[in-house]
Amino acid sequence: MTRPVPYIDPARPTPKRQPLKAWSHMQKLIADKEDTAQVFYIIQALNGNSSRKDFKRFLSTPSGIEMLKRREFLPDILDNHDEIAKLPAGTVGRTYMEFMQREGLSAAGLVAESEMRGDRDLYDDDLLWYYNRLRDTHDLEHVLTGYGRDAMGEASLLRYSYSQGGGMGVNFIAFMGAREVAKYAPKGVSIPAVAKEAKRNGKAAARVIDQDIPALLREPIEDARERMNIREPALYKQALRRFQEDGTDPQLVAA
């Protein structure tokens, strides 16, 4: 029997919010900021039904259903550096590849981290495909928005993402991350102002998740930012400079 499009496994339970579980995983993340698998647990414990609502929003876009039918596995595209290297300098793809190589990252590595959760893989349906797409475009969002992988940049990017797609788990991590960064912030740096800027920028911009990713990779990055109305994170960059001038390495609180 041909499955309908979209298809959500009827056995998939309706997610329930578990705030105590989220708090426990947040304490583990604070204790070890490299244990990024905790991020997935927190989001799962708090997001409730927001991801399903976001999936419906994606399908309502002009190309959402078509992209779902193609069911592209983005890590195979994003980690194909041989092909991406053929793109002109200054394209989204080349900028993304250089970022990933500089940071020692890969899309496949993020997949491995997320698979430590386990339970979502029980349901091989279109909602799982969308969850994976959200995961696989995270570092592409870093490149397009200009938010770095320091703790302030990660918290800001999550606030940016929350303003676009919701999710209590995402907002909670962004809030707690910003609170931790504020403990190290030099005098005159307002972390709440940086977070508000990220929220404004996210609300104004088109979503990366809704883009045709292979086509986006071929686009000049400045053209893509203009088309998607991705604004300069001015307050974030100012704050980053103040950290550096103060002699505080933002990577010491890296996410």
Side-chain angles (χ1 to χ4, degrees), residues 87-144:
L87 296 173
T91 55
V92 174
R94 280 281 295 274
T95 309
Y96 170 82
M97 181 187 72
E98 291 159 6
F99 170 84
M100 297 296 278
Q101 291 177 343
R102 185 169 62 250
E103 298 291 331
L105 301 172
S106 69
L110 195 56
V111 173
E113 287 182 6
S114 71
E115 287 179 348
M116 293 174 65
R117 297 170 303 164
D119 59 338
R120 276 184 180 167
D121 293 346
L122 294 174
Y123 306 99
D124 183 17
D125 58 11
D126 293 335
L127 195 56
L128 175 62
W129 174 85
Y130 188 67
Y131 288 151
N132 291 343
R133 186 177 176 87
L134 286 167
R135 172 199 67 200
D136 298 334
T137 52
H138 175 74
D139 288 316
L140 197 53
E141 285 190 326
H142 271 297
V143 170
L144 284 161

Side-chain angles (χ1 to χ4, degrees), residues 17 44 51 62 69 78 87 120 127 137 140 165 187 194 215 242:
R17 290 194 172 98
Q44 185 183 38
S51 294
K69 288 178 179 178
L78 296 171
L87 296 173
R120 276 184 180 167
L127 195 56
T137 52
L140 197 53
K187 186 177 180 180
V194 172
R242 285 287 293 112

